[in-house]
Amino acid sequence: MNFTSDLFLIYPEIVLTATLIVVVLFDLIFKRSQAWLPVLSLAGILAAFFLVVLQFGTNLPAFEYSTKNNLLSIDNLSTYFKGIILISSFFVVLFSIFSSEVKSCKDRHGEYYSLLIGMMIGMFFLVSSNDLILIYLSMELLSLSSYVLAGFVKNSIRNSEASLKYVIYGSVSSGIMLFGISLLYGLTGTTNLNEINTILRGASTIDITFILSIFMILAGFGFKISVVPFHFWTPDVYEGAPITITAYLSVASKAAGFAVLIRFIKAVFFSGISQGGYWNLLTYFDWQSVLVLISIVTMTLGNFSALWQDNLKRMLAYSSIAHAGYILLGVAVLSDQGITAVLIYFAIYMFMNLGAFLIVMLIANKIGSENIDDYKGLGYSIPFLGSVLAIFLVSLTGLPPTAGFIAKLYLFIALVDAKMIVVAIIALLNTVVSLYYYIRVLKNMYLVRDFSKPVHIELKPLSFITILLLVIPVLLFGVYFTPIVDFAKLSIQILGL
Amino acid sequence: MTNFPLLSLITFLPILGMIVVLLLPKKQEIAIKSLTIVITALQVVLAIILLMNYNYSLGGINDIKSFQFIEKFRWIEITGFSWIGKIKIDYFLGVDGLSMPMVLLTAIVTFIAAISSWTIDKSIKGYFAMFLLLDTGMMGVFVALDFFLFYVFWELMLLPMYFLIGIWGGPRREYAAIKFFLYTLLGSVLILLVMIGLYFSSMETLADGSRVFTFNMLEMMNPANYTVGGILSPLNPNNLRFIAYLGLFIGFAIKIPMFPFHTWLPDAHVEAPTAISVILAGVLLKMGTYGILRISYPIFPEITKDLTWYIALFGMINIIYGAFCAMAQKDFKKLIAYSSVSHMGYVLLGMAALNTMGISGAILQMFNHGTITAMLFLIVGVIYDRAHIRDLDSFGGLGKQMPVYTGFVTVAFFAAIGLPGLSGFISEALVFLGGFGNDITRVLAVVSTLGILLGAGYMLWTLQRVFLGPLNEKWASLKDMDFREYAMLVPLSIIIIFLGIYPGPMLNLMNSSVNTMIEFIEKAQTFYQTLGTL
C-alpha cells in the first residue's frame, strides 16, 4: 500500500479540508469580519470543483492494500456525484448569505460554514468509498455535522426538536447499519466491497444472516435517502431546520446516499452485464423486488402526505420523499439505463428543488412564515418571485416544457424498456396526485386575490443572479437536454465493473 | 414560399406576442388588448395563406412526401453508447387534410376569442400573456408530427388554461380549474406512457442506413419499422397493443370529453370567462378527436377496426346522454356545455364508421361544432354581460327587446339543431350516412338519430323560454348588440351559412387525406391479419 502516491486522487478532499481549517482559523482570528466566511467557503468550493472537473474521466483505485482491494474508487460515478454535491453546496452557501435565519446567529457563522464543509468532506468520501468501514465513517462525519446544523438556530424550539429527532433516528439507523456491517464481516471476513463480491461468487450456500445483514445495511442507506420506512425524521427535520440546511439535506445528502447505494449494490452483487445494459446480479438478494416495493410505498406515502400539509417547507419535505421514491425506481431497474436516469434526475432535481427552497426562503425572510395560506395573493405583489416559484413547482410536478419533465421522461423510458409497465403506471398516477399539492401553492398565489397584506420584496443583485442561475437550467434543459444526458451517460462508470 | 417556415411562424407568433405583452407596462391596457387581436388576426391571415398554397390532391396521414409545409430538423440527438439514453427527436411540423381544417379553426376561433376578451378587466397583462401561450400550444398540437413535440404542445396548454379558468373565472373557478387540470393530466400521463412504449417498438432508418428508435409518428405508422421485441410491436407475441390503445384512447377521450370522462366539462365551462369557454369548446375539445384520428387510428389500425362498434357506442351515449343532460339544465351556459358533449358524440360516431362519409363528416363536424359552439358561448356571453345572470327561466320575450341579437341566436341554434342550409346539417348528415353505410355501426347510428330530435327539443325550448313570449319587464332596459359583438358573431354566422350552402371547399380540403387514411387502415389491416396467421 503506497499511501503518498495516491494522494493526488483526493486533492479535492484535501482542498476542502484545507478550506475547513482556514475557515475555522479565520473565524478565530478575525472575529469581526464574519462576512468573509462565505467568500472563503465559496473559494474553497470553486477550487475543489475545478479539481473535480479535472478528475472527470479518471478511473483509478486509491489506497490499494492489494489488487482490487482499494479504500476509495475514483471513477466517473463518484466524480459526477461530487460535482452535484459541490454545485449544490455552492448554491447553499449563497443561500446562507441571504438567509435571515443564519444571520440571526451572530458570532457563530464560523461554526456554520465549517460544519457545512465538514458535511461536504463526509459526502465526498461517501460517494467514492469502496469499503464498508469507510462508508460507515464518512456517513457518520456527514451525519454528525448535519445533526448540529439542523439545530443551528438555537433560539427556536422546533429547531432543537428537529435536531434531537435527527440525532435519535440517525444514531439508531447507523447503529443498525453498523451491526449489519459487522455481521457481513463475520460472514465474509472482509469489509471491502470487491472482496465481498469475490467471496459471494465462490459461495455455495448463503446463510439467512447474510440477507439480514444486507437489510440492516440498507437501513443506513435508507435513512440517508429518506425512504419508507426510514423516513420518519424527514418532515420534522426539514420543517425545523434552517431552510438552507433543509435544501442541502434534500439534495446533496440524498445524492450522496444514492451514490453509495448504487455502488454497494453493483460492487457487491455484480456478476455480469447483459445486452441492453442490464446487470446480472448474484441472486442471493432480490434487489429488484425490494427496491420497487420500497420506492412505490415511498412515493405514494410522500405524495399523499404532502396533500395535507399547510406548511410549505413540510410539504416540500414530503415532496422530496416522493422524489426519492421516483429516483429509487431508477435504481430498481438495475441497468445502466436506469442509473443514467438517476443521474439525470439528480442534476435536474438539484436545480428545481434548490430553487423552490430559495424562493420559499426569500419569502419567509420577509413575511416570517412558510404557511401556504400566507401565500395568498403573493403572485400579484411579488410577480417575479411568484412566477419563478411557479416554474420550479411546475418542474417538480414534471410538466413540459420544464426540465422536470425530462427527468421523469428518462425515468419512464428506463422503466418501459425494462418492461416494468405496472410500476411505471403507478409512478405516473403518483405524478397526477403530486400536481394537486404543487398547484395548491400556485392557487393561493394567483387564484386567491387577497390584497390585504401587500408584500414587497426588494431583491439584491446577488440573490437575483442566484435565482437566474437556478431557473435558467430548469427552462433550458426542458427544451434542450442533450448536454445533460450526454454527460450523465458518461458518468455511470463504476471502477472495476 | 415552400421554404418559408410558415408553420413555425403561425405556431410561435403568439409566443412572440406574449413576450411583447410581458414587456409592456401594466397600464397600457389598450395596447396589450390590441396587440393580442393583431397577433391572432395575423394568424388568420397566415392560415389563409396556407390554405391558398395548399395542394388539395396530397393525402398525408402516413406518407411524409404528401405532407405540406414540412419543417423537419434534428432537435435532440444523443449518441454515444449504443444502448443507453439514445434519443433522437425531430422538430417536425407539417399539415395534411386532417390538420388543415383544425389549423383554420384554431386561427378563427382564437381571433374571435381575442375580440371577446376585450371586456376582461382584471390583471390584463397576465390574461393576455396566458391567452397567447395557450394559442401556441393549440396550434402546435395540430401541426406537430413528432409524438414528443406533440406531447410538449399538448401539455403546454394545461397551465395557461388552469390560470385562465382559475383567475378570471366565475365563483367556483378554483374547483373547476383544478378539476380540469387533474382530469387532463390523468389523460396525458396515459398518453405519455403509450408514447414511450411506441418509442421502443418502432425504429426509423436514417439516411446513413442506421436504425434508431423514433418518436416520429409517420415512422410509427409504418409496419415495416416494428422491432421484434418492442412491447407495442405486433411482432412481439406478448405485446400490449390492446391495453396501450385503451390507454391512449382514454387519454384523448378525456379531452373530447367522452362519457364517462366528461364531468370536468360543465364545471370548466360554467366557470370560465366567455372567451375561454369559446376556446375550450371551439378548439380544445377537438384535440381529443384529432388525436384519435392522427395517432390512434393509423398507429393501431387493427385494434381500431376491432373496436369500431364500441367507439360508435360511446358516440351514441354521448349524443343521447349529453342531449338529455342539456334538456335538464337551467343554466344557459351549462346547457351549451352539455350540448357540446352531445355534438362531440357525432364526431365519435362518424369516426367509428371508418368510411369516407363518416370520417369526412367527423372532421367537418369538428370544424362546424367549433364555429357553432363558439357562437353559442358568445351568445351566452352577450346576455350575461348585460343581465349578469344565466338562468333560463328568468328571461322571456327578449326577441322584442333585442331583435338583432335574437336573429343571430336563431342562426346559431338552428345550426346546432342541424337545420338544412346551415353547416351543422351537412356534417351530421354525413356522419349518419357514414354510420348507416357500415354494417357494424348501423344500428347505433339509427338510435343516434334520436339525438337530433332531442337537440331540437332543448334548443327550441330554450329559444322559446328566453326569446319568445311576453317580455319580462325586468329586462326592458337591455340594449341590443354593439359593434364588438357584431365583429364576433358576423364572421361566424357567415362561415356557418356558407358551409351550410356550399360545403365543397372544406370537404375537398380533407378529401384525399380521408381516403388515404381509410385505404391505409384497410391495407394495414391485411398486414396485421397475415401477421396473426403466422
Side-chain angles (χ1 to χ4, degrees):
Chain A
M1 177 170 175
N2 192 340
F3 185 81
T4 43
S5 68
D6 282 352
L7 272 184
F8 77 99
L9 289 169
I10 56 162
Y11 276 163
E13 285 86 345
I14 293 173
V15 166
L16 283 179
T17 316
T19 317
L20 174 66
I21 297 167
V22 170
V23 166
V24 171
L25 289 178
F26 187 90
D27 184 46
L28 281 175
I29 300 167
F30 306 100
K31 202 73 192 159
R32 306 256 158 147
S33 29
Q34 298 220 332
W36 284 96
L37 291 172
V39 181
L40 284 175
S41 316
L42 285 179
I45 290 170
L46 286 177
F49 189 72
F50 178 70
L51 292 167
V52 165
V53 170
L54 286 184
Q55 229 171 35
F56 192 78
T58 313
N59 200 23
L60 285 174
F63 311 118
E64 262 183 320
Y65 37 94
S66 64
T67 318
K68 276 192 82 181
N69 211 336
N70 49 325
L71 276 180
L72 289 177
S73 294
I74 309 300
D75 48 25
N76 284 353
L77 185 82
S78 64
T79 313
Y80 183 89
F81 274 105
K82 283 174 189 169
I84 296 270
I85 290 163
L86 283 176
I87 296 170
S88 47
S89 310
F90 180 82
F91 281 114
V92 167
V93 171
L94 283 176
F95 291 6
S96 309
I97 301 174
F98 319 134
S99 164
S100 58
E101 275 173 310
V102 176
K103 263 187 212 126
S104 72
C105 307
K106 293 192 185 79
D107 304 332
R108 295 199 288 127
H109 288 187
E111 284 168 45
Y112 179 84
Y113 290 106
S114 49
L115 285 167
L116 211 53
I117 300 170
M119 278 180 81
M120 280 178 232
I121 299 169
M123 289 187 271
F124 262 54
F125 281 111
L126 190 56
V127 298
S128 51
S129 58
N130 197 35
D131 190 285
L132 288 171
I133 296 294
L134 194 59
I135 288 177
Y136 180 75
L137 285 177
S138 44
M139 210 176 232
E140 282 302 285
L141 176 57
L142 166 61
S143 299
L144 288 172
S145 313
S146 42
Y147 298 153
V148 182
L149 281 173
F152 186 70
V153 191
K154 283 191 227 157
N155 48 14
S156 118
I157 293 176
R158 61 173 198 177
N159 209 253
S160 318
E161 183 197 330
S163 183
L164 191 62
K165 274 193 176 151
Y166 200 14
V167 172
I168 293 171
Y169 279 110
S171 36
V172 169
S173 65
S174 77
I176 295 174
M177 183 181 177
L178 192 58
F179 193 28
I181 290 176
S182 59
L183 282 180
L184 195 56
Y185 178 72
L187 290 168
T188 57
T190 175
T191 54
N192 184 284
L193 302 187
N194 297 345
E195 274 199 347
I196 296 174
N197 182 261
T198 318
I199 290 164
L200 283 181
R201 284 184 198 217
S204 49
T205 54
I206 282 297
D207 202 273
I208 186 77
T209 336
F210 172 75
I211 309 288
L212 188 67
S213 71
I214 298 298
F215 269 117
M216 288 171 121
I217 292 172
L218 197 55
F221 298 148
F223 171 75
K224 273 278 154 274
I225 59 178
S226 65
V227 290
V228 176
F230 314 106
H231 68 285
F232 291 105
W233 61 277
T234 318
D236 292 328
V237 173
Y238 280 18
E239 188 185 351
I243 279 192
T244 50
I245 300 307
T246 307
Y248 201 47
L249 289 177
S250 73
V251 177
S253 155
K254 224 166 235 193
F258 269 102
V260 69
L261 177 66
I262 293 168
R263 186 182 298 278
F264 180 78
I265 296 174
K266 199 171 178 189
V268 172
F269 290 88
F270 191 72
S271 77
I273 196 154
S274 64
Q275 211 237 331
Y278 290 92
W279 305 345
N280 299 325
L281 296 183
L282 300 169
T283 50
Y284 306 128
F285 193 86
D286 189 356
W287 277 108
Q288 190 147 52
S289 310
V290 171
L291 293 180
V292 164
L293 186 71
I294 293 180
S295 53
I296 284 178
V297 176
T298 303
M299 71 175 79
T300 312
L301 183 130
N303 278 325
F304 278 91
S305 310
L307 289 178
W308 314 111
Q309 303 310 320
D310 291 323
N311 183 298
L312 192 46
K313 233 164 122 186
R314 204 176 168 85
M315 191 204 90
L316 284 173
Y318 279 111
S319 117
S320 87
I321 293 178
H323 280 279
Y326 297 129
I327 299 172
L328 196 60
L329 271 188
V331 182
V333 176
L334 299 177
S335 73
D336 287 351
Q337 190 153 334
I339 301 306
T340 314
V342 170
L343 299 185
I344 295 167
Y345 207 108
F346 253 112
I348 290 169
Y349 173 72
M350 170 176 77
F351 287 110
M352 58 195 188
N353 213 38
L354 287 177
F357 274 116
L358 172 62
I359 310 295
V360 172
M361 183 184 85
L362 290 174
I363 294 174
N365 279 349
K366 188 76 184 182
I367 65 172
S369 158
E370 290 129 12
N371 199 309
I372 297 181
D373 286 334
D374 292 330
Y375 276 60
K376 281 180 182 156
L378 277 192
Y380 299 97
S381 46
I382 40 168
F384 176 71
L385 287 182
S387 50
V388 173
L389 181 58
I391 292 172
F392 288 131
L393 292 176
V394 168
S395 181
L396 282 167
T397 319
L399 296 180
T402 58
F405 171 63
I406 305 305
K408 289 237 164 72
L409 177 77
Y410 266 88
L411 188 66
F412 291 121
I413 284 181
L415 286 172
V416 171
D417 192 37
K419 309 227 177 352
M420 294 159 76
I421 308 293
V422 178
V423 181
I425 290 174
I426 295 173
L428 276 170
L429 293 180
N430 259 288
T431 307
V432 180
V433 174
S434 77
L435 170 80
Y436 188 80
Y437 59 83
Y438 289 125
I439 210 82
R440 196 174 146 218
V441 182
L442 299 193
K443 188 194 92 178
N444 271 334
M445 284 202 304
Y446 290 99
L447 269 52
V448 183
R449 300 168 66 87
D450 179 2
F451 302 121
S452 57
K453 286 176 286 178
V455 180
H456 182 70
I457 296 179
E458 210 163 301
L459 280 182
K460 295 198 181 69
L462 189 60
S463 42
F464 184 71
I465 291 169
T466 313
I467 293 173
L468 286 188
L469 283 177
L470 287 166
V471 78
I472 288 173
V474 168
L475 292 175
L476 192 68
F477 290 141
V479 287
Y480 189 72
F481 46 93
T482 314
I484 202 165
V485 177
D486 271 338
F487 192 52
K489 271 193 327 189
L490 290 175
S491 306
I492 54 164
Q493 189 180 37
I494 297 181
L495 180 70
L497 300 171
Chain B
M1 207 66 198
T2 45
N3 292 325
F4 188 77
L6 264 178
L7 290 180
S8 289
L9 188 62
I10 200 172
T11 307
F12 290 104
L13 189 66
I15 287 263
L16 290 179
M18 183 186 89
I19 293 166
V20 179
V21 163
L22 288 176
L23 293 175
L24 282 172
K26 229 181 219 161
K27 299 269 176 255
Q28 297 286 343
E29 297 182 357
I30 303 288
I32 291 172
K33 288 175 177 176
S34 324
L35 180 76
T36 309
I37 293 178
V38 169
I39 296 272
T40 47
L42 274 176
Q43 256 187 323
V44 176
V45 173
L46 285 171
I48 291 170
I49 293 176
L50 281 176
L51 189 65
M52 281 167 18
N53 290 285
Y54 187 82
N55 182 342
Y56 284 62
S57 62
L58 295 175
I61 303 296
N62 67 326
D63 175 20
I64 184 168
K65 286 188 211 74
S66 60
F67 269 92
Q68 304 182 42
F69 310 104
I70 293 168
E71 291 166 41
K72 187 179 181 193
F73 59 86
R74 256 305 164 263
W75 171 22
I76 303 283
E77 178 158 22
I78 293 153
T79 49
F81 304 127
S82 54
W83 27 264
I84 39 169
K86 177 188 60 184
I87 274 196
K88 285 191 166 60
I89 300 169
D90 287 336
Y91 176 83
F92 183 17
L93 306 181
V95 287
D96 62 359
L98 177 54
S99 40
M100 196 57 215
M102 295 300 111
V103 170
L104 278 175
L105 177 71
T106 308
I108 294 167
V109 170
T110 317
F111 172 61
I112 305 280
I115 300 176
S116 162
S117 303
W118 194 270
T119 47
I120 294 291
D121 53 3
K122 59 177 181 183
S123 313
I124 291 172
K125 199 167 144 172
Y127 177 89
F128 285 95
M130 287 294 154
F131 184 92
L132 289 166
L133 187 60
L134 178 69
D135 190 2
T136 288
M138 296 187 299
M139 201 53 102
V141 164
F142 291 127
V143 295
L145 290 178
D146 185 278
F147 207 150
F148 188 87
L149 192 63
F150 174 90
Y151 188 78
V152 169
F153 282 124
W154 180 276
E155 293 276 273
L156 189 64
M157 295 172 321
L158 293 186
L159 207 61
M161 203 63 197
Y162 170 76
F163 283 123
L164 286 169
I165 297 174
I167 300 180
W168 292 274
R172 283 170 71 241
R173 56 177 185 266
E174 288 173 25
Y175 169 76
I178 192 70
K179 194 169 178 184
F180 162 81
F181 206 155
L182 286 174
Y183 261 81
T184 21
L185 188 68
L186 182 68
S188 20
V189 294
L190 293 173
I191 298 172
L192 174 67
L193 205 59
V194 177
M195 175 179 101
I196 297 173
L198 283 171
Y199 170 73
F200 281 114
S201 303
S202 46
M203 290 184 126
E204 106 182 81
T205 310
L206 296 181
D208 61 359
S210 60
R211 278 163 67 77
V212 291
F213 288 126
T214 180
F215 277 117
N216 185 327
M217 287 184 203
L218 309 186
E219 302 287 350
M220 285 175 178
M221 292 169 198
N222 186 348
N225 283 343
Y226 284 119
T227 55
V228 177
I231 51 166
L232 297 185
S233 159
L235 304 176
N236 179 352
N238 303 318
N239 68 62
L240 301 170
R241 282 173 72 83
F242 186 74
I243 296 168
Y245 187 85
L246 290 185
L248 195 60
F249 196 86
I250 291 173
F252 290 132
I254 289 176
K255 205 92 176 182
I256 294 176
M258 185 183 87
F259 178 88
F261 308 109
H262 66 283
T263 58
W264 62 268
L265 183 82
D267 287 311
H269 267 314
V270 169
E271 301 309 323
T274 302
I276 301 311
S277 280
V278 167
I279 288 200
L280 190 59
V283 184
L284 257 70
L285 305 191
K286 311 301 170 296
M287 285 176 184
T289 40
Y290 173 80
I292 293 175
L293 286 174
R294 167 69 70 215
I295 296 171
S296 301
Y297 268 41
I299 296 183
F300 300 92
E302 83 285 17
I303 301 171
T304 301
K305 193 109 188 187
D306 288 345
L307 291 181
T308 45
W309 188 80
Y310 294 93
I311 300 174
L313 175 72
F314 277 103
M316 186 200 85
I317 294 176
N318 253 39
I319 293 171
I320 294 182
Y321 175 82
F324 273 120
C325 286
M327 207 172 266
Q329 298 310 316
K330 289 203 156 50
D331 183 317
F332 204 160
K333 216 169 174 184
K334 223 168 183 166
L335 179 133
I336 307 298
Y338 275 112
S339 85
S340 274
V341 174
S342 180
H343 284 121
M344 289 308 283
Y346 292 112
V347 181
L348 282 170
L349 183 66
M351 279 162 33
L354 271 187
N355 49 29
T356 312
M357 295 259 204
I359 292 185
S360 303
I363 302 173
L364 190 61
Q365 171 72 358
M366 280 154 77
F367 186 89
N368 288 343
H369 175 254
T371 47
I372 295 170
T373 313
M375 198 163 160
L376 289 171
F377 277 113
L378 290 170
I379 281 165
V380 178
V382 168
I383 193 72
Y384 185 71
D385 283 347
R386 288 167 174 69
H388 300 289
I389 54 163
R390 293 187 300 255
D391 187 9
L392 289 169
D393 293 328
S394 63
F395 293 105
L398 285 185
K400 278 178 216 150
Q401 185 65 29
M402 305 166 75
V404 184
Y405 172 64
T406 309
F408 281 107
V409 171
T410 317
V411 171
F413 273 30
F414 281 123
I417 296 169
L419 193 78
L422 297 169
S423 64
F425 169 72
I426 310 286
S427 48
E428 282 174 27
L430 282 172
V431 164
F432 283 120
L433 285 173
F436 294 144
N438 184 330
D439 295 339
I440 301 169
T441 57
R442 186 169 296 141
V443 177
L444 293 169
V446 170
V447 179
S448 301
T449 46
L450 189 62
I452 297 185
L453 202 64
L454 294 169
Y458 63 79
M459 282 297 182
L460 293 177
W461 191 29
T462 308
L463 201 63
Q464 182 203 336
R465 276 187 287 177
V466 179
F467 299 97
L468 305 180
L471 177 68
N472 186 340
E473 286 309 316
K474 206 165 131 197
W475 310 119
S477 60
L478 293 190
K479 289 194 177 64
D480 213 331
M481 304 211 313
D482 60 22
F483 172 74
R484 191 179 57 88
E485 288 156 357
Y486 277 115
M488 299 185 295
L489 292 179
V490 169
L492 288 175
S493 311
I494 292 174
I495 294 172
I496 289 169
I497 295 170
F498 176 77
L499 287 180
I501 298 166
Y502 183 49
M506 200 47 98
L507 287 172
N508 288 341
L509 187 63
M510 62 186 77
N511 193 29
S512 48
S513 287
V514 170
N515 287 329
T516 312
M517 183 191 288
I518 290 162
E519 199 183 331
F520 174 73
I521 291 177
E522 286 299 331
K523 262 195 217 150
Q525 177 74 8
T526 1
F527 168 80
Y528 288 104
Q529 270 161 1
T530 50
L531 208 67
T533 57
L534 280 177

